Amino acid sequence: MAAAREVDQRVEVIRRRLAFEAAPAEFAAGWRAADAELAARILAARERLGTVLLPDTELRRIAALCAAFEVDGMRADLVTARTAVAHAAWRGAREVTEEDVRVAARLALPHRRRRDPFDEPELDDKALDEALNQAAEHAGPPTDTDLPDTDLPDTDSLDLDPPDLDPPDPPDGGGPPDGPDGGGAPPPAEQNSAQPPPDRGSAAGDGPSRPAPAPAQPFRARLLTVPGVGEGAPGRRSRARTEQGRVVRAALDNPHRVADLHLPATVLAAAPHQRARGRTGPGLRLLRDDLRHAVREGREGNLVLFVVDASGSMAARRRMAAVSGAVLSLLRDAYQRRDKVGLVTFRGAGAELLLPPTSSVPTAVARLRRLRTGGRTPLADGLLRARRVLAAERLRDPKRRPLLVLLTDGRATVATRAGNHPMADALRAAALLAGDGVATVVVDCESGPVRLGLAAQLAAVAGAPVVTVAELSAEQVTGVVRAARAA
C-alpha cells in the first residue's frame, strides 16, 4: 500500500477527513446513499459470479501469461483465473475478456514473481504489455490436447446487464482510514524509494550528501556466530541450549520431561548400587538421585546489529556498492537464520539509528536502499550509538545475544567532544563494547594500494575478528567459518 502522489487526490482525502472529524453523523448521512449503491453493486456481482463464462481463449491467455512471468507452481494460474472471473462479474459482463485478465494479473502476480525474499513485489505496465503480447499468440482455438470444457449453467435467459451504479469515490478516497491522516501516510519502509529522504548532511553543516549507489550483486554469506552457548529464541545461527537439539552431555539435575531423561547416564548412576538396594531379579532399582538430565544443544537466533560507515571516505562508488552488497547479503543470511536485525549508520556530525531492532528483515533492506553517503566520519559516535541500542535491547530481550557487525575503513575524523582525538575516541568506544561482552565482527572496507590498517586496530581493541568484504563470501573460503568465536 502507498499513498497517492497526485496532489488533488491528497487534498480531497484531507478535506473529507476533516469534514468527518467536524461532524461524523452528518458526514455519514451524506455518503449513505453512495454506500448503499456500492453495496448493491457488490451483492449483484456476487450473485452473478457463478454464471460468468471463462472462455478457453482467455484461459490459455492466463496460462501463457503466468508462464511468461516464470511464476512457480500452478497456483498463480488458478488465482489469476478466479480473479478475472470476479472482475468480469463486477463489471456485469457475461464472460471474461482480456481486460479482466490484465486487471487480475496486476493483483495476483507481482508478489509471485519474486525470486528473492527482498525483491519488490511489482509489475510494471511495460512488462505486462509485453507478456500479454506473447500470451496473445497462445490464446487461439483450443487443440486436441486441451482439457474438456466444464459444463456451465445456461446464462442466455438471465438478465446480466450491469446496473447503472457508478457511485462517487468513497469518503476516504479509496480505502479505510488508518488513523488521523486518513491512510495518507505509508509506513517508512514502504515509501516510494524514488523520493529520497531529506539531505541530513547539509542540515548538519557537513556538506551535501548523495544517495548510495545500487548494491553490488549479493552473495551467499559465510556464517558469523556469537561465541559461547546461549539460551535464546530458536534459530539457525549460534550455539544454544535447546529442548530439541542433539544431546551433548548429562547433568545431575532431574529431568522435567520424559524426553529429557538421559537414559545411559541414569543406568550408569544406578548400576553400582543394585546389590545394596537388594536387587535379586531382573530390572533396575532406581532412586530419584539416579536420574540424569539430557543437556541438548541446537541453534539460536541472534540480534545482528549492523553499524555502517556512510561517510565521505566510504562514498567512492565502487566501494560503497560493495559494502551495500555485503550488508544485503548478510541481511539475507539473517532472514534465513531467523535473526532480529538493526541498522545504525554514521556520517557527517553524528550517528543515526536507521532501523531499531526488528524481526522484519525486508524492512531493513528497504531502509538500506535509502542510505545517504558523504561527510566526515564520526566513528566513535556510531559505536556509542550502537552500544546504547544494545543496552536497551538487552532489557527487552535479555536472552537474545547480540552480534555487532561493523563495516568501516577504520578512519575517524570527528571526536565525541572538542579537543579529543577522533581515533582515540573510537578506540575507547570499541573498548566499552568489549567490556560489555558484545561479540563484534569488523569488516575492513579499506581498498587501494595504500592501506592504513586502522580497522585492524579497532578490531584488536574490541576483541573482534577482522575480515574483508571479499572474505564474507562463503564461496571464497573453505568450509564454514565461525568468525566471531573466541580464539
Side-chain angles (χ1 to χ4, degrees):
M1 297 294 291
R5 301 302 175 191
E6 300 264 343
V7 174
D8 292 341
Q9 292 183 16
R10 298 176 73 94
V11 169
E12 185 62 21
V13 169
I14 298 171
R15 181 182 292 117
R16 295 185 188 184
R17 180 66 188 188
L18 293 176
F20 170 77
E21 292 176 349
E26 290 81 354
F27 185 87
W31 287 94
R32 187 170 292 117
D35 287 344
E37 291 178 356
L38 182 61
R41 186 177 180 185
I42 293 174
L43 288 175
R46 292 180 63 181
E47 291 176 356
R48 72 169 64 92
L49 183 62
T51 66
V52 174
L53 176 66
L54 177 59
D56 283 341
T57 54
E58 300 308 320
L59 187 58
R60 293 174 63 83
R61 191 190 309 275
I62 291 171
L65 185 63
C66 293
F69 281 127
E70 298 181 347
V71 296
D72 295 327
M74 299 297 297
R75 185 167 181 80
D77 305 59
L78 181 60
V79 172
T80 305
R82 288 174 174 169
T83 306
V85 171
H87 187 264
W90 169 254
R91 294 191 300 108
R94 297 175 181 270
E95 64 180 34
V96 174
T97 65
E98 180 180 351
E99 182 57 31
D100 298 312
V101 174
R102 172 186 289 273
V103 173
R106 296 196 65 85
L107 295 172
L109 297 185
H111 60 288
R112 290 184 167 87
R113 295 184 60 215
R114 296 191 294 180
R115 288 294 177 266
D116 186 275
F118 303 144
D119 289 344
E120 291 293 336
E122 58 185 1
L123 187 66
D124 61 86
D125 291 334
K126 182 178 180 180
L128 182 57
D129 290 338
E130 292 177 354
L132 283 172
N133 291 335
Q134 295 178 19
E137 301 175 1
H138 300 274
T143 63
D144 294 339
T145 59
D146 288 329
L147 296 175
D149 293 340
T150 303
D151 292 335
L152 295 174
D154 184 7
T155 60
D156 292 340
S157 60
L158 298 178
D159 182 12
L160 299 180
D161 291 332
D164 185 16
L165 299 176
D166 188 15
D169 293 335
D172 57 4
D178 292 328
D181 60 357
E190 297 175 0
Q191 291 177 357
N192 191 340
S193 60
Q195 298 188 4
D199 188 338
R200 298 184 180 89
S202 298
D206 197 64
S209 67
R210 57 181 179 273
Q217 184 67 27
F219 49 81
R220 185 170 66 88
R222 63 189 281 184
L223 177 60
L224 305 177
T225 64
V226 178
V229 181
E231 297 179 348
R236 298 176 180 175
R237 183 172 295 278
S238 303
R239 295 170 55 202
R241 296 183 183 92
T242 61
E243 294 183 352
Q244 287 82 30
R246 63 185 180 90
V247 177
V248 293
R249 62 182 178 87
L252 293 177
D253 52 321
N254 291 326
H256 300 290
R257 306 178 305 165
V258 175
D260 294 334
L261 178 66
H262 196 297
L263 186 58
T266 299
V267 172
L268 289 174
H273 309 289
Q274 294 305 296
R275 180 175 295 181
R277 294 173 184 175
R279 173 189 169 188
T280 58
L284 288 175
R285 291 195 173 186
L286 297 177
L287 299 179
R288 178 176 292 273
D289 291 341
D290 298 328
L291 301 180
R292 296 294 184 266
H293 181 264
V295 178
R296 299 178 183 275
E297 188 176 292
R299 294 282 172 178
E300 67 177 357
N302 298 112
L303 166 60
V304 183
L305 182 62
F306 296 94
V307 182
V308 181
D309 185 348
S311 64
S313 63
M314 295 280 292
R317 190 167 191 84
R318 289 183 60 185
R319 181 188 298 186
M320 200 63 212
V323 170
S324 300
V327 176
L328 186 61
S329 303
L330 292 169
L331 283 171
R332 177 187 291 170
D333 183 65
Y335 176 86
Q336 295 168 344
R337 299 185 187 279
R338 305 175 188 171
D339 295 316
K340 290 181 68 174
V341 296
L343 184 59
V344 173
T345 63
F346 55 94
R347 53 167 294 273
E352 177 186 9
L353 179 59
L354 204 62
L355 179 70
T358 176
S359 297
S360 177
V361 177
T363 302
V365 175
R367 300 291 177 90
L368 177 66
R369 287 171 175 160
R370 296 203 305 273
L371 182 66
R372 309 285 294 183
T373 64
R376 295 179 294 169
T377 311
L379 177 55
D381 196 44
L383 294 175
L384 293 175
R385 183 62 182 269
R387 184 174 182 241
R388 292 194 296 270
V389 171
L390 294 179
E393 193 65 20
R394 196 176 297 119
L395 296 176
R396 297 190 188 97
D397 193 354
K399 289 189 175 182
R400 188 180 289 270
R401 298 187 297 161
L403 175 63
L404 189 149
V405 181
L406 172 64
L407 295 101
T408 181
D409 57 9
R411 292 178 173 86
T413 59
V414 179
T416 56
R417 64 181 63 181
N420 288 5
H421 191 283
M423 193 62 198
D425 282 352
L427 294 175
R428 279 192 289 268
L432 289 174
L433 286 169
D436 293 341
V438 176
T440 303
V441 174
V442 176
V443 180
D444 187 357
C445 303
E446 194 172 31
S447 60
V450 179
R451 306 192 181 192
L452 303 179
L454 298 176
Q457 296 180 28
L458 201 66
V461 174
V466 57
V467 297
T468 64
V469 174
E471 291 171 344
L472 285 175
S473 173
E475 287 79 4
Q476 298 189 28
V477 295
T478 302
V480 176
V481 181
R482 266 74 170 172
R485 183 170 296 171

